[in-house]
Amino acid sequence: MTNLVLENIFPKYFTPRNIEQSEIWNKNISFQKGNKFLIVAPSGSGKSTLATAMLGTHFQYEGSIKYDQQVVKKLHLEEIVKNRKDGVSLLFQDVRLIKDVTISENILLRVFNKDRKQFIPKMEEYAKRLGIENLLNKKAENCSYGERQRSAIVRSLINPTDFIIYDECFSHLDLNNKKIAFSLINEVSKESGSSVIFFELNEFPFEHDYQILHL
C-alpha cells in the first residue's frame, strides 16, 4: 500500500470539539508511504475514533477511507484483516498485550506465519534499546504499564506494515524513554520505508521533522 486516503471523513454519532479548526475532519488528506505525520488531537476531538477507523475496525463515519484506490467500507472482512498484516497497523492506546503469555510471545505474534527464529535477534536488539530485554520471558500481566507500552512498541516494529499508527504510545513513558522509543521508531521505519502516524494530545517536547496536523 502506498497511500492511505481520508475523503471528507466525519463521525456519524458525535460532533468533535474544535471541528471548525480541524485540519482533518471534512477534509481530503492523503498519507503517502514513507512520510511522517504527527496528528495533535485534544481530548474529545475523536482521536481514537479516527485511528481505529483507519485500521478498518468500524465504519461509523461519513465519507471514505481508502487504501490506495480501495474504499475500506467496500472491502470484505478478510481483505481488511489481510491489510493489517502488511498494510496498516495500530498500536492501541490500551496496548492490548495478551496478559497470560510472555512479552516475547506477545511480540512474536506480529510475525504471523513467518519463521519466528529469524526475528528473535531483532526482537532482542529492540528490547535492549528500550531497556526491556530482561522482561522477554516475563508474563505481560506481571509488567508495569510503562513496560508493556515499550513491549508493544517493539511488537509494532518487529514486522512493520506500510503504515504504522500510534495512538498515544508514549503516555506512560518519561521524557528520556520517549526520546529513545521515538528514535527507534524513526530508525526502523526509515529502513522499512514505512509511514508513521502519531496521534498525540500535544506536540512532542523534542525536536522532530514530522508534518503536524491538528484534528
Side-chain angles (χ1 to χ4, degrees):
M1 186 190 308
T2 56
N3 286 283
L4 200 168
V5 180
L6 310 182
E7 292 182 348
N8 296 311
I9 296 296
F10 191 85
K12 270 187 179 178
Y13 302 115
F14 75 99
T15 300
R17 296 178 184 176
N18 303 324
I19 187 67
E20 298 299 327
Q21 293 77 36
S22 175
E23 296 172 323
I24 295 179
W25 295 124
N26 276 336
K27 304 289 192 305
N28 292 325
I29 306 289
S30 179
F31 300 101
Q32 296 178 328
K33 185 180 177 185
N35 293 339
K36 319 288 186 182
F37 302 90
L38 168 59
I39 297 177
V40 179
S43 295
S45 60
K47 172 174 56 61
S48 294
T49 297
L50 178 58
T52 50
M54 290 165 72
L55 185 65
T57 60
H58 70 82
F59 309 119
Q60 297 171 0
Y61 55 85
E62 305 291 346
S64 296
I65 295 176
K66 292 181 178 178
Y67 297 160
D68 291 328
Q69 300 301 315
Q70 297 178 311
V71 178
V72 176
K73 283 180 180 177
K74 294 182 179 179
L75 292 176
H76 191 277
L77 178 59
E78 289 180 358
E79 293 174 294
I80 292 175
V81 171
K82 184 180 178 183
N83 270 296
R84 290 177 194 164
K85 291 183 178 179
D86 302 313
V88 183
S89 60
L90 167 64
L91 197 166
F92 291 89
Q93 194 172 11
D94 58 3
V95 178
R96 300 194 181 183
L97 295 183
I98 300 172
K99 291 182 179 180
D100 59 352
V101 304
T102 66
I103 292 298
S104 63
E105 289 171 320
N106 269 288
I107 292 170
L108 292 172
L109 285 173
R110 178 70 222 158
V111 308
F112 303 109
N113 296 323
K114 297 178 181 177
D115 180 10
R116 292 188 171 195
K117 289 182 182 177
Q118 68 175 310
F119 290 90
I120 290 175
K122 187 187 294 186
M123 175 182 70
E124 292 175 342
E125 178 197 340
Y126 295 170
K128 187 175 182 180
R129 290 271 297 272
L130 298 188
I132 56 167
E133 71 272 25
N134 61 330
L135 303 178
L136 291 175
N137 295 317
K138 195 173 179 178
K139 287 186 177 179
E141 63 187 354
N142 297 324
C143 296
S144 71
Y145 199 94
E147 290 169 341
R148 280 184 275 149
Q149 203 162 46
R150 281 179 282 169
S151 303
I153 290 171
V154 173
R155 183 181 60 184
S156 73
L157 298 173
I158 195 76
N159 184 26
T161 49
D162 296 325
F163 291 83
I164 311 173
I165 302 171
Y166 293 101
D167 187 1
E168 290 190 61
C169 68
F170 301 145
S171 60
H172 284 70
L173 304 186
D174 59 31
L175 180 57
N176 187 51
N177 278 310
K178 284 180 183 177
K179 288 180 177 177
I180 293 171
F182 182 79
S183 175
L184 179 62
I185 289 169
N186 273 331
E187 189 178 309
V188 174
S189 61
K190 186 176 181 181
E191 288 174 358
S192 62
S194 302
S195 264
V196 176
I197 304 172
F198 284 109
F199 283 83
E200 291 286 330
L201 285 172
N202 301 292
E203 292 187 18
F204 291 130
F206 44 79
E207 190 174 345
H208 64 84
D209 60 355
Y210 278 55
Q211 180 180 342
I212 298 174
L213 294 168
H214 294 88
L215 186 61

PDB file of all heavy atoms in Angstrom, residues 182-211:
ATOM      1  N   PHE A 182      11.122   7.013  20.318  1.00  0.00           N
ATOM      2  CA  PHE A 182      10.913   7.798  19.090  1.00  0.00           C
ATOM      3  C   PHE A 182      12.065   7.571  18.114  1.00  0.00           C
ATOM      4  O   PHE A 182      11.855   7.388  16.909  1.00  0.00           O
ATOM      5  CB  PHE A 182      10.801   9.277  19.454  1.00  0.00           C
ATOM      6  CG  PHE A 182      10.532  10.188  18.286  1.00  0.00           C
ATOM      7  CD1 PHE A 182       9.257  10.314  17.760  1.00  0.00           C
ATOM      8  CD2 PHE A 182      11.554  10.935  17.715  1.00  0.00           C
ATOM      9  CE1 PHE A 182       9.010  11.152  16.681  1.00  0.00           C
ATOM     10  CE2 PHE A 182      11.320  11.768  16.641  1.00  0.00           C
ATOM     11  CZ  PHE A 182      10.044  11.880  16.118  1.00  0.00           C
ATOM     12  N   SER A 183      13.287   7.563  18.622  1.00  0.00           N
ATOM     13  CA  SER A 183      14.461   7.348  17.779  1.00  0.00           C
ATOM     14  C   SER A 183      14.425   5.963  17.127  1.00  0.00           C
ATOM     15  O   SER A 183      14.707   5.808  15.933  1.00  0.00           O
ATOM     16  CB  SER A 183      15.728   7.503  18.625  1.00  0.00           C
ATOM     17  OG  SER A 183      16.870   7.200  17.865  1.00  0.00           O
ATOM     18  N   LEU A 184      14.051   4.942  17.909  1.00  0.00           N
ATOM     19  CA  LEU A 184      13.975   3.578  17.372  1.00  0.00           C
ATOM     20  C   LEU A 184      12.885   3.483  16.295  1.00  0.00           C
ATOM     21  O   LEU A 184      13.096   2.881  15.230  1.00  0.00           O
ATOM     22  CB  LEU A 184      13.693   2.583  18.498  1.00  0.00           C
ATOM     23  CG  LEU A 184      13.567   1.118  18.065  1.00  0.00           C
ATOM     24  CD1 LEU A 184      14.867   0.613  17.443  1.00  0.00           C
ATOM     25  CD2 LEU A 184      13.168   0.234  19.254  1.00  0.00           C
ATOM     26  N   ILE A 185      11.723   4.074  16.561  1.00  0.00           N
ATOM     27  CA  ILE A 185      10.630   4.048  15.581  1.00  0.00           C
ATOM     28  C   ILE A 185      11.079   4.701  14.272  1.00  0.00           C
ATOM     29  O   ILE A 185      10.836   4.180  13.180  1.00  0.00           O
ATOM     30  CB  ILE A 185       9.383   4.756  16.157  1.00  0.00           C
ATOM     31  CG1 ILE A 185       8.765   3.906  17.267  1.00  0.00           C
ATOM     32  CG2 ILE A 185       8.350   5.027  15.065  1.00  0.00           C
ATOM     33  CD1 ILE A 185       7.705   4.615  18.084  1.00  0.00           C
ATOM     34  N   ASN A 186      11.749   5.840  14.385  1.00  0.00           N
ATOM     35  CA  ASN A 186      12.229   6.530  13.182  1.00  0.00           C
ATOM     36  C   ASN A 186      13.227   5.683  12.412  1.00  0.00           C
ATOM     37  O   ASN A 186      13.193   5.605  11.180  1.00  0.00           O
ATOM     38  CB  ASN A 186      12.888   7.853  13.572  1.00  0.00           C
ATOM     39  CG  ASN A 186      11.882   8.969  13.658  1.00  0.00           C
ATOM     40  OD1 ASN A 186      10.876   8.939  12.966  1.00  0.00           O
ATOM     41  ND2 ASN A 186      12.141   9.934  14.497  1.00  0.00           N
ATOM     42  N   GLU A 187      14.136   5.075  13.139  1.00  0.00           N
ATOM     43  CA  GLU A 187      15.191   4.272  12.509  1.00  0.00           C
ATOM     44  C   GLU A 187      14.592   3.076  11.761  1.00  0.00           C
ATOM     45  O   GLU A 187      14.932   2.818  10.596  1.00  0.00           O
ATOM     46  CB  GLU A 187      16.137   3.783  13.608  1.00  0.00           C
ATOM     47  CG  GLU A 187      17.396   3.131  13.116  1.00  0.00           C
ATOM     48  CD  GLU A 187      18.273   2.728  14.280  1.00  0.00           C
ATOM     49  OE1 GLU A 187      18.543   3.570  15.161  1.00  0.00           O
ATOM     50  OE2 GLU A 187      18.672   1.555  14.316  1.00  0.00           O
ATOM     51  N   VAL A 188      13.688   2.360  12.421  1.00  0.00           N
ATOM     52  CA  VAL A 188      13.104   1.164  11.804  1.00  0.00           C
ATOM     53  C   VAL A 188      12.203   1.544  10.634  1.00  0.00           C
ATOM     54  O   VAL A 188      12.233   0.899   9.570  1.00  0.00           O
ATOM     55  CB  VAL A 188      12.312   0.352  12.849  1.00  0.00           C
ATOM     56  CG1 VAL A 188      11.589  -0.817  12.182  1.00  0.00           C
ATOM     57  CG2 VAL A 188      13.251  -0.158  13.936  1.00  0.00           C
ATOM     58  N   SER A 189      11.416   2.601  10.791  1.00  0.00           N
ATOM     59  CA  SER A 189      10.512   2.991   9.701  1.00  0.00           C
ATOM     60  C   SER A 189      11.294   3.472   8.483  1.00  0.00           C
ATOM     61  O   SER A 189      10.877   3.255   7.347  1.00  0.00           O
ATOM     62  CB  SER A 189       9.539   4.073  10.179  1.00  0.00           C
ATOM     63  OG  SER A 189      10.225   5.235  10.581  1.00  0.00           O
ATOM     64  N   LYS A 190      12.424   4.108   8.726  1.00  0.00           N
ATOM     65  CA  LYS A 190      13.255   4.550   7.598  1.00  0.00           C
ATOM     66  C   LYS A 190      13.808   3.341   6.847  1.00  0.00           C
ATOM     67  O   LYS A 190      13.807   3.300   5.616  1.00  0.00           O
ATOM     68  CB  LYS A 190      14.404   5.424   8.110  1.00  0.00           C
ATOM     69  CG  LYS A 190      15.231   6.046   7.002  1.00  0.00           C
ATOM     70  CD  LYS A 190      16.285   6.980   7.568  1.00  0.00           C
ATOM     71  CE  LYS A 190      17.093   7.611   6.437  1.00  0.00           C
ATOM     72  NZ  LYS A 190      18.142   8.516   6.960  1.00  0.00           N
ATOM     73  N   GLU A 191      14.257   2.330   7.591  1.00  0.00           N
ATOM     74  CA  GLU A 191      14.800   1.115   6.965  1.00  0.00           C
ATOM     75  C   GLU A 191      13.727   0.372   6.171  1.00  0.00           C
ATOM     76  O   GLU A 191      13.990  -0.170   5.098  1.00  0.00           O
ATOM     77  CB  GLU A 191      15.364   0.182   8.040  1.00  0.00           C
ATOM     78  CG  GLU A 191      16.655   0.681   8.670  1.00  0.00           C
ATOM     79  CD  GLU A 191      17.098  -0.198   9.830  1.00  0.00           C
ATOM     80  OE1 GLU A 191      16.379  -1.168  10.158  1.00  0.00           O
ATOM     81  OE2 GLU A 191      18.158   0.082  10.408  1.00  0.00           O
ATOM     82  N   SER A 192      12.509   0.332   6.708  1.00  0.00           N
ATOM     83  CA  SER A 192      11.436  -0.440   6.072  1.00  0.00           C
ATOM     84  C   SER A 192      10.649   0.377   5.051  1.00  0.00           C
ATOM     85  O   SER A 192       9.851  -0.192   4.293  1.00  0.00           O
ATOM     86  CB  SER A 192      10.473  -0.973   7.141  1.00  0.00           C
ATOM     87  OG  SER A 192       9.863   0.100   7.828  1.00  0.00           O
ATOM     88  N   GLY A 193      10.843   1.714   5.052  1.00  0.00           N
ATOM     89  CA  GLY A 193      10.072   2.569   4.144  1.00  0.00           C
ATOM     90  C   GLY A 193       8.660   2.827   4.619  1.00  0.00           C
ATOM     91  O   GLY A 193       7.819   3.317   3.864  1.00  0.00           O
ATOM     92  N   SER A 194       8.387   2.515   5.874  1.00  0.00           N
ATOM     93  CA  SER A 194       7.035   2.684   6.413  1.00  0.00           C
ATOM     94  C   SER A 194       6.716   4.141   6.692  1.00  0.00           C
ATOM     95  O   SER A 194       7.608   4.945   6.969  1.00  0.00           O
ATOM     96  CB  SER A 194       6.900   1.910   7.735  1.00  0.00           C
ATOM     97  OG  SER A 194       7.179   0.545   7.559  1.00  0.00           O
ATOM     98  N   SER A 195       5.422   4.462   6.658  1.00  0.00           N
ATOM     99  CA  SER A 195       4.944   5.736   7.172  1.00  0.00           C
ATOM    100  C   SER A 195       4.627   5.579   8.646  1.00  0.00           C
ATOM    101  O   SER A 195       4.165   4.523   9.076  1.00  0.00           O
ATOM    102  CB  SER A 195       3.661   6.160   6.457  1.00  0.00           C
ATOM    103  OG  SER A 195       3.938   7.037   5.421  1.00  0.00           O
ATOM    104  N   VAL A 196       4.854   6.631   9.406  1.00  0.00           N
ATOM    105  CA  VAL A 196       4.469   6.638  10.810  1.00  0.00           C
ATOM    106  C   VAL A 196       3.462   7.763  11.015  1.00  0.00           C
ATOM    107  O   VAL A 196       3.679   8.888  10.563  1.00  0.00           O
ATOM    108  CB  VAL A 196       5.687   6.852  11.721  1.00  0.00           C
ATOM    109  CG1 VAL A 196       5.246   6.945  13.180  1.00  0.00           C
ATOM    110  CG2 VAL A 196       6.697   5.723  11.544  1.00  0.00           C
ATOM    111  N   ILE A 197       2.354   7.443  11.684  1.00  0.00           N
ATOM    112  CA  ILE A 197       1.338   8.443  12.005  1.00  0.00           C
ATOM    113  C   ILE A 197       1.104   8.398  13.508  1.00  0.00           C
ATOM    114  O   ILE A 197       0.563   7.419  14.030  1.00  0.00           O
ATOM    115  CB  ILE A 197       0.014   8.172  11.256  1.00  0.00           C
ATOM    116  CG1 ILE A 197       0.253   8.110   9.737  1.00  0.00           C
ATOM    117  CG2 ILE A 197      -1.015   9.254  11.594  1.00  0.00           C
ATOM    118  CD1 ILE A 197      -0.957   7.661   8.935  1.00  0.00           C
ATOM    119  N   PHE A 198       1.557   9.418  14.199  1.00  0.00           N
ATOM    120  CA  PHE A 198       1.345   9.514  15.644  1.00  0.00           C
ATOM    121  C   PHE A 198       0.078  10.311  15.922  1.00  0.00           C
ATOM    122  O   PHE A 198      -0.141  11.371  15.316  1.00  0.00           O
ATOM    123  CB  PHE A 198       2.508  10.259  16.315  1.00  0.00           C
ATOM    124  CG  PHE A 198       3.765   9.467  16.477  1.00  0.00           C
ATOM    125  CD1 PHE A 198       4.877   9.766  15.697  1.00  0.00           C
ATOM    126  CD2 PHE A 198       3.862   8.453  17.411  1.00  0.00           C
ATOM    127  CE1 PHE A 198       6.063   9.056  15.856  1.00  0.00           C
ATOM    128  CE2 PHE A 198       5.036   7.739  17.571  1.00  0.00           C
ATOM    129  CZ  PHE A 198       6.141   8.037  16.798  1.00  0.00           C
ATOM    130  N   PHE A 199      -0.738   9.823  16.857  1.00  0.00           N
ATOM    131  CA  PHE A 199      -1.814  10.616  17.443  1.00  0.00           C
ATOM    132  C   PHE A 199      -1.378  10.974  18.855  1.00  0.00           C
ATOM    133  O   PHE A 199      -1.094  10.086  19.671  1.00  0.00           O
ATOM    134  CB  PHE A 199      -3.119   9.814  17.518  1.00  0.00           C
ATOM    135  CG  PHE A 199      -3.850   9.690  16.214  1.00  0.00           C
ATOM    136  CD1 PHE A 199      -3.489   8.707  15.293  1.00  0.00           C
ATOM    137  CD2 PHE A 199      -4.903  10.535  15.903  1.00  0.00           C
ATOM    138  CE1 PHE A 199      -4.161   8.584  14.078  1.00  0.00           C
ATOM    139  CE2 PHE A 199      -5.583  10.413  14.695  1.00  0.00           C
ATOM    140  CZ  PHE A 199      -5.205   9.444  13.782  1.00  0.00           C
ATOM    141  N   GLU A 200      -1.294  12.269  19.140  1.00  0.00           N
ATOM    142  CA  GLU A 200      -0.845  12.711  20.460  1.00  0.00           C
ATOM    143  C   GLU A 200      -1.722  13.861  20.958  1.00  0.00           C
ATOM    144  O   GLU A 200      -2.277  14.623  20.154  1.00  0.00           O
ATOM    145  CB  GLU A 200       0.606  13.192  20.387  1.00  0.00           C
ATOM    146  CG  GLU A 200       1.621  12.088  20.135  1.00  0.00           C
ATOM    147  CD  GLU A 200       1.871  11.214  21.363  1.00  0.00           C
ATOM    148  OE1 GLU A 200       1.754  11.746  22.493  1.00  0.00           O
ATOM    149  OE2 GLU A 200       2.155  10.023  21.199  1.00  0.00           O
ATOM    150  N   LEU A 201      -1.808  13.991  22.275  1.00  0.00           N
ATOM    151  CA  LEU A 201      -2.567  15.108  22.848  1.00  0.00           C
ATOM    152  C   LEU A 201      -1.877  16.442  22.577  1.00  0.00           C
ATOM    153  O   LEU A 201      -2.524  17.469  22.383  1.00  0.00           O
ATOM    154  CB  LEU A 201      -2.727  14.913  24.358  1.00  0.00           C
ATOM    155  CG  LEU A 201      -3.740  13.857  24.809  1.00  0.00           C
ATOM    156  CD1 LEU A 201      -3.640  13.659  26.318  1.00  0.00           C
ATOM    157  CD2 LEU A 201      -5.153  14.265  24.424  1.00  0.00           C
ATOM    158  N   ASN A 202      -0.537  16.416  22.600  1.00  0.00           N
ATOM    159  CA  ASN A 202       0.247  17.637  22.409  1.00  0.00           C
ATOM    160  C   ASN A 202       1.408  17.344  21.474  1.00  0.00           C
ATOM    161  O   ASN A 202       1.729  16.183  21.200  1.00  0.00           O
ATOM    162  CB  ASN A 202       0.795  18.129  23.757  1.00  0.00           C
ATOM    163  CG  ASN A 202      -0.302  18.408  24.748  1.00  0.00           C
ATOM    164  OD1 ASN A 202      -1.080  19.350  24.578  1.00  0.00           O
ATOM    165  ND2 ASN A 202      -0.394  17.585  25.786  1.00  0.00           N
ATOM    166  N   GLU A 203       2.064  18.395  21.025  1.00  0.00           N
ATOM    167  CA  GLU A 203       3.250  18.204  20.199  1.00  0.00           C
ATOM    168  C   GLU A 203       4.367  17.603  21.043  1.00  0.00           C
ATOM    169  O   GLU A 203       4.389  17.731  22.264  1.00  0.00           O
ATOM    170  CB  GLU A 203       3.698  19.549  19.606  1.00  0.00           C
ATOM    171  CG  GLU A 203       2.715  20.095  18.590  1.00  0.00           C
ATOM    172  CD  GLU A 203       3.264  21.332  17.883  1.00  0.00           C
ATOM    173  OE1 GLU A 203       4.489  21.544  17.939  1.00  0.00           O
ATOM    174  OE2 GLU A 203       2.467  22.066  17.285  1.00  0.00           O
ATOM    175  N   PHE A 204       5.304  16.915  20.394  1.00  0.00           N
ATOM    176  CA  PHE A 204       6.401  16.294  21.127  1.00  0.00           C
ATOM    177  C   PHE A 204       7.288  17.363  21.774  1.00  0.00           C
ATOM    178  O   PHE A 204       7.563  18.401  21.151  1.00  0.00           O
ATOM    179  CB  PHE A 204       7.254  15.438  20.188  1.00  0.00           C
ATOM    180  CG  PHE A 204       6.566  14.213  19.678  1.00  0.00           C
ATOM    181  CD1 PHE A 204       6.555  13.930  18.312  1.00  0.00           C
ATOM    182  CD2 PHE A 204       5.941  13.331  20.546  1.00  0.00           C
ATOM    183  CE1 PHE A 204       5.929  12.795  17.831  1.00  0.00           C
ATOM    184  CE2 PHE A 204       5.301  12.197  20.065  1.00  0.00           C
ATOM    185  CZ  PHE A 204       5.301  11.926  18.705  1.00  0.00           C
ATOM    186  N   PRO A 205       7.787  17.083  22.989  1.00  0.00           N
ATOM    187  CA  PRO A 205       8.649  18.063  23.664  1.00  0.00           C
ATOM    188  C   PRO A 205      10.108  17.925  23.243  1.00  0.00           C
ATOM    189  O   PRO A 205      11.009  18.118  24.054  1.00  0.00           O
ATOM    190  CB  PRO A 205       8.457  17.715  25.149  1.00  0.00           C
ATOM    191  CG  PRO A 205       8.215  16.243  25.140  1.00  0.00           C
ATOM    192  CD  PRO A 205       7.452  15.950  23.863  1.00  0.00           C
ATOM    193  N   PHE A 206      10.330  17.527  22.008  1.00  0.00           N
ATOM    194  CA  PHE A 206      11.694  17.419  21.480  1.00  0.00           C
ATOM    195  C   PHE A 206      11.644  17.667  19.978  1.00  0.00           C
ATOM    196  O   PHE A 206      10.569  17.636  19.350  1.00  0.00           O
ATOM    197  CB  PHE A 206      12.316  16.043  21.786  1.00  0.00           C
ATOM    198  CG  PHE A 206      11.403  14.871  21.554  1.00  0.00           C
ATOM    199  CD1 PHE A 206      11.175  14.385  20.271  1.00  0.00           C
ATOM    200  CD2 PHE A 206      10.756  14.252  22.621  1.00  0.00           C
ATOM    201  CE1 PHE A 206      10.338  13.311  20.046  1.00  0.00           C
ATOM    202  CE2 PHE A 206       9.902  13.163  22.403  1.00  0.00           C
ATOM    203  CZ  PHE A 206       9.699  12.698  21.119  1.00  0.00           C
ATOM    204  N   GLU A 207      12.806  17.903  19.410  1.00  0.00           N
ATOM    205  CA  GLU A 207      12.873  18.272  18.003  1.00  0.00           C
ATOM    206  C   GLU A 207      12.514  17.092  17.105  1.00  0.00           C
ATOM    207  O   GLU A 207      12.889  15.955  17.386  1.00  0.00           O
ATOM    208  CB  GLU A 207      14.287  18.771  17.675  1.00  0.00           C
ATOM    209  CG  GLU A 207      14.414  19.411  16.312  1.00  0.00           C
ATOM    210  CD  GLU A 207      15.798  20.007  16.097  1.00  0.00           C
ATOM    211  OE1 GLU A 207      16.538  20.179  17.083  1.00  0.00           O
ATOM    212  OE2 GLU A 207      16.127  20.291  14.923  1.00  0.00           O
ATOM    213  N   HIS A 208      11.804  17.377  16.028  1.00  0.00           N
ATOM    214  CA  HIS A 208      11.460  16.341  15.054  1.00  0.00           C
ATOM    215  C   HIS A 208      11.126  17.014  13.733  1.00  0.00           C
ATOM    216  O   HIS A 208      10.976  18.243  13.674  1.00  0.00           O
ATOM    217  CB  HIS A 208      10.264  15.513  15.549  1.00  0.00           C
ATOM    218  CG  HIS A 208       9.009  16.312  15.691  1.00  0.00           C
ATOM    219  ND1 HIS A 208       8.163  16.559  14.639  1.00  0.00           N
ATOM    220  CD2 HIS A 208       8.475  16.945  16.767  1.00  0.00           C
ATOM    221  CE1 HIS A 208       7.158  17.298  15.048  1.00  0.00           C
ATOM    222  NE2 HIS A 208       7.317  17.559  16.344  1.00  0.00           N
ATOM    223  N   ASP A 209      10.995  16.209  12.683  1.00  0.00           N
ATOM    224  CA  ASP A 209      10.695  16.780  11.362  1.00  0.00           C
ATOM    225  C   ASP A 209       9.381  16.248  10.810  1.00  0.00           C
ATOM    226  O   ASP A 209       9.187  16.179   9.601  1.00  0.00           O
ATOM    227  CB  ASP A 209      11.842  16.499  10.385  1.00  0.00           C
ATOM    228  CG  ASP A 209      12.087  14.999  10.186  1.00  0.00           C
ATOM    229  OD1 ASP A 209      11.432  14.198  10.889  1.00  0.00           O
ATOM    230  OD2 ASP A 209      12.927  14.636   9.341  1.00  0.00           O
ATOM    231  N   TYR A 210       8.467  15.847  11.714  1.00  0.00           N
ATOM    232  CA  TYR A 210       7.182  15.316  11.278  1.00  0.00           C
ATOM    233  C   TYR A 210       6.260  16.442  10.801  1.00  0.00           C
ATOM    234  O   TYR A 210       6.300  17.558  11.344  1.00  0.00           O
ATOM    235  CB  TYR A 210       6.508  14.563  12.436  1.00  0.00           C
ATOM    236  CG  TYR A 210       7.009  13.155  12.607  1.00  0.00           C
ATOM    237  CD1 TYR A 210       8.369  12.893  12.764  1.00  0.00           C
ATOM    238  CD2 TYR A 210       6.131  12.076  12.615  1.00  0.00           C
ATOM    239  CE1 TYR A 210       8.840  11.607  12.916  1.00  0.00           C
ATOM    240  CE2 TYR A 210       6.591  10.785  12.767  1.00  0.00           C
ATOM    241  CZ  TYR A 210       7.940  10.549  12.913  1.00  0.00           C
ATOM    242  OH  TYR A 210       8.398   9.268  13.059  1.00  0.00           O
ATOM    243  N   GLN A 211       5.413  16.123   9.827  1.00  0.00           N
ATOM    244  CA  GLN A 211       4.374  17.071   9.422  1.00  0.00           C
ATOM    245  C   GLN A 211       3.268  17.065  10.467  1.00  0.00           C
ATOM    246  O   GLN A 211       2.751  15.996  10.811  1.00  0.00           O
ATOM    247  CB  GLN A 211       3.798  16.693   8.054  1.00  0.00           C
ATOM    248  CG  GLN A 211       2.699  17.656   7.580  1.00  0.00           C
ATOM    249  CD  GLN A 211       2.132  17.272   6.227  1.00  0.00           C
ATOM    250  OE1 GLN A 211       2.754  16.514   5.480  1.00  0.00           O
ATOM    251  NE2 GLN A 211       0.965  17.794   5.905  1.00  0.00           N
TER     252      GLN A 211
END
